[in-house]
Amino acid sequence: MKKYKDIVGDGGSDVVAQVTEQQARLQRRLADVRFVVAVVSGKGGVGKSTVTANLAAAWATTQWRVGVLDADLNGPSMAKMLGVRGHPLAVTSDAVEPPATAHGVAVMSMDLLLPADDAPLTWEAPSQAESHTWRGAMEANALREFLADTDWGALDALVVDLPPGTDRLATIASLTPVLAGTVIVTIPSEVSHLVVRKSITVAQRAKAPVLGLVENMAGLFPGPDATALAAEAGIPFLGSVPFDRSVSIAADRGSPFVVTEPASPAARAFLTIAAKIRDGLERRPCC
Ligand SMILES: Nc1ncnc2c1ncn2[C@@H]1O[C@H](COP(=O)(O)OP(=O)(O)OP(=O)(O)O)[C@@H](O)[C@H]1O
Ligand SMILES: [Mg+2]
């Protein structure tokens, strides 16, 4: 492997100019996106992707133009949950056209790029010992490419589904000049609250506001009160989505629950949360 001292200048690849050009392209692509909303939680498996899919579908059924960016590069699930897994990507000379769901939600996910043999994404580092060091930078690069190279068109909302962990929000916040805010997801358990409290702190430090806390899988455990967690942290409480196995069945079928069973309590909770966030965003003073 070459070391920096072996390279005069940077070997002629002009990495800085490449990244600057890509960032400029990203800004042009996102110029027509009104709101970028990130769905986050330090805790895994609490329903971030389910919330993302249902928020996107709920907004799309109320005439918002919506895109979903699956920022979970190692465990992508949005293509499956939104029913576009295996759909081809149309590639033009300077952009990738994301497939759209039946309700017009444009979806970009690593799952659409990987071969269908279920092999996970692997990051090739100069040596395996260094792979941990490189992973963050490579993930940020991949996400920058996704944002810069996807032809989202004009959107009202781009919903970003983040992997578990508190560190990923900073990456998205630094890449998207128009991050409108974050939605934080928890489940009713003390363990989840413990971790999510940290996520709230991280989200509050990001330059975008916290739009609020969603309690998912309500009723599954006799856990602590999510409204108290929101109040204690000084963020809005957006609502509780009950645990309902049909939510999971709908996700596995690739049809968001708000579309398949809109009258059920869980779907109504998702729809109310989506309406609250949308109203809050629409009421913001315009640019
Ligand atoms: N309200 C709910 N009722 C029943 N099942 C649910 C509910 N919300 C989510 N699920 C199911 O729980 C599982 C985990 O949800 P999901 O994949 O959305 O979590 P996640 O936070 O995105 O996970 P990860 O941290 O791995 O990205 C899924 O199988 C999903 O269908
Ligand atoms: Mg997920």
Side-chain angles (χ1 to χ4, degrees):
M1 187 185 109
K2 280 187 182 176
K3 298 283 183 199
Y4 288 119
K5 65 179 172 50
D6 304 322
I7 302 172
V8 181
D10 70 353
S13 54
D14 201 359
V15 173
V16 174
Q18 280 182 43
V19 172
T20 309
E21 196 278 322
Q22 202 177 42
Q23 194 69 30
R25 199 142 38 92
L26 181 155
Q27 299 222 2
R28 286 197 297 279
R29 291 255 188 247
L30 295 186
D32 283 339
V33 177
R34 292 174 66 208
F35 306 114
V36 179
V37 173
V39 179
V40 303
S41 180
K43 194 88 186 88
V46 294
K48 295 173 293 297
S49 304
T50 307
V51 168
T52 302
N54 282 283
L55 278 184
W59 286 335
T61 54
T62 55
Q63 312 310 315
W64 252 17
R65 295 155 302 174
V66 186
V68 165
L69 172 67
D70 190 344
D72 193 338
L73 303 174
N74 295 97
S77 58
M78 294 319 307
K80 169 79 174 161
M81 285 190 182
L82 288 164
V84 295
R85 189 147 204 256
H87 285 212
L89 290 167
V91 182
T92 64
S93 59
D94 75 331
V96 175
E97 215 155 295
T101 68
H103 293 86
V105 177
V107 185
M108 188 57 181
S109 171
M110 190 52 95
D111 195 20
L112 298 164
L113 299 171
L114 290 172
D117 60 4
D118 290 331
L121 177 67
T122 49
W123 300 110
E124 294 229 340
S127 86
Q128 268 322 100
E130 293 173 52
S131 65
H132 182 72
T133 320
W134 285 90
R135 202 183 63 195
M138 289 190 283
E139 280 187 9
N141 274 343
L143 289 172
R144 189 187 298 107
E145 265 180 54
F146 266 12
L147 285 164
D149 295 344
T150 306
D151 183 7
W152 297 104
L155 294 179
D156 292 293
L158 177 62
V159 197
V160 184
D161 178 34
L162 286 176
T166 41
D167 51 337
R168 291 351 200 285
L169 178 59
T171 309
I172 280 294
S174 68
L175 290 176
T176 49
V178 287
L179 186 61
T182 49
V183 173
I184 299 171
V185 184
T186 189
I187 56 171
S189 78
E190 283 186 22
V191 173
S192 178
H193 281 215
L194 179 74
V195 177
V196 167
R197 201 169 276 125
K198 292 184 175 51
S199 321
I200 295 173
T201 307
V202 172
Q204 284 171 325
R205 286 187 194 143
K207 58 188 173 187
V210 177
L211 301 171
L213 179 70
V214 172
E215 181 186 49
N216 189 30
M217 307 193 195
L220 183 59
F221 318 109
D225 183 2
T227 57
L229 174 60
E232 175 199 310
I235 61 170
F237 181 68
L238 295 167
S240 279
V241 180
F243 180 84
D244 179 345
R245 52 203 293 277
S246 310
V247 170
S248 187
I249 293 167
D252 286 355
R253 286 195 183 135
S255 19
F257 197 59
V258 292
V259 174
T260 56
E261 292 187 48
S264 69
R268 279 193 278 119
F270 278 129
L271 290 165
T272 305
I273 291 165
K276 266 190 203 171
I277 299 172
R278 179 182 164 149
D279 289 351
L281 292 171
E282 291 282 17
R283 268 203 307 272
R284 283 191 184 174
C286 182
C287 16

